[in-house]
Amino acid sequence: MDLPKGLAGVVVDQTEISSTAGGKLVYAGYEIEELAQASYEEVVFLLWHTRLPQKGELEAFSKQLVSEMVLPAESIRLLLYIAKEPQHPMSILRTATSLLGTTNDVIFDEPPKILAKMLTVIASIVRIRQDEPLIEPDFKLGLADNFLYMLTGKKPDEFLSRLFNTVMVLHADHEFNASTFSARVVASTAADYYSCLTAAVCTLKGPLHGGANEQVFAMLEEIKGSHLDSITYVKQRLAAGKKVMGFGHRIYKDGDPRAKILQGLARKLAQKTGNESYYDLQVTLADYLLKTKGLHPNVDYYTALIYHCLGLEKDLFTVIFAACRTAGWLAHIMEQKRTGRLIRPSSEYIGPKGRKYAKDHYQIGSEF
């Protein structure tokens, strides 16, 4: 029997949260292009309730989220202890997510509190690793603005606020991707939210999933540091059987709709921060690979440059991805818990058959 590899094309369940059918990314019925100018809080509410909030609901929801961003003293103490360990930041986030489940109320904590504290934990990991002081949330700012403020130490202007809200919206959910499916599997066992999120973070860490954005910028740095022009570099990489990071997608054969939005944001931010050379390099590579290989950029391609322009080291890119995606993870965890059904797929056994156990196989010298 020929089985699809990696569950490609297999429908394992139904969801009301998001869809990638037909090469379009849709959140609860809204195409992503419709939501690109929405606030992150609006989209979080949409993913959790499958409808957009009324004005009063949004104001109350935003205040609730921001009010929960303050971490318990014990969480901060533990973060200060582990965040500088010489491990990848995603390994630190994995441990920190689990720690949240020990320094907070596992039984009664609800998604608004959990999302808010995850964002603060991620901002704190970044600040600690950069030897910068931790920053308290500003209750006059929204959730995404607060997260950016706590990351960079600077309150965003209107341009950065709009840009970063859009970045977080575009990364908020993506149907049954690997990390989301991991979270749903754990949720199906009736485990707590923190256990589900820890599994999602572990899955996102992999370079074939969330870690791709880090590899994109490493590639751009390598090109700039080499004595080769970008096209020659790509030709040599392809000839060696290596992937060009940030291109192609299992679902989006005609182009990732998120990348199309992010390209314009990357161009504007690169111009404002003196990173035009990186953007020009990206455009050159994208044009060449589209013409010669029919490959389109994916969401990681331009996100990598945006995170660099925000002053982040490339090994921190995936933890920012995790911050954006936590809203979607929580939406799917809630949906899976409502089904009350354990996820337990079957497999096709292809190993040896008919073997017999011989008592003297190990040539034991005496009987028991």
Side-chain angles (χ1 to χ4, degrees), residues 14-155:
Q14 297 177 318
T15 180
E16 296 181 346
I17 299 168
S18 65
S19 168
T20 58
K24 296 181 179 181
L25 177 56
V26 177
Y27 292 170
Y30 294 90
E31 293 187 13
I32 197 63
E33 293 83 356
E34 292 286 323
L35 298 171
Q37 296 301 311
S39 70
Y40 185 59
E41 292 96 322
E42 284 181 281
V43 170
V44 173
F45 191 98
L46 173 66
L47 293 173
W48 291 1
H49 301 281
T50 64
R51 65 175 178 85
L52 287 171
Q54 299 293 324
K55 182 179 179 181
E57 288 179 311
L58 178 60
E59 290 174 353
F61 186 58
S62 182
K63 287 180 181 179
Q64 179 188 13
L65 289 168
V66 174
S67 71
E68 297 284 9
M69 294 187 84
V70 179
L71 291 177
E74 183 67 6
S75 295
I76 295 174
R77 185 182 71 81
L78 291 168
L79 279 174
L80 290 169
Y81 181 74
I82 68 170
K84 284 193 174 182
E85 289 295 314
Q87 307 292 333
H88 192 282
M90 283 298 290
S91 295
I92 306 300
L93 179 58
R94 173 199 62 210
T95 302
T97 305
S98 184
L99 281 173
L100 278 177
T102 62
T103 55
N104 289 275
D105 193 330
V106 173
I107 297 176
F108 294 105
D109 280 355
E110 291 296 326
K113 178 179 179 181
I114 297 169
L115 172 60
K117 285 185 166 35
M118 279 287 286
L119 296 185
T120 303
V121 161
I122 291 167
S124 299
I125 290 172
V126 172
R127 298 289 289 180
I128 293 168
R129 291 180 75 88
Q130 294 180 335
D131 291 319
E132 298 286 352
L134 300 184
I135 296 175
E136 292 287 324
D138 183 336
F139 297 114
K140 295 179 181 179
L141 299 177
L143 187 66
D145 286 358
N146 254 305
F147 180 53
L148 186 56
Y149 169 50
M150 295 166 77
L151 276 176
T152 65
K154 299 177 182 179
K155 294 182 181 179

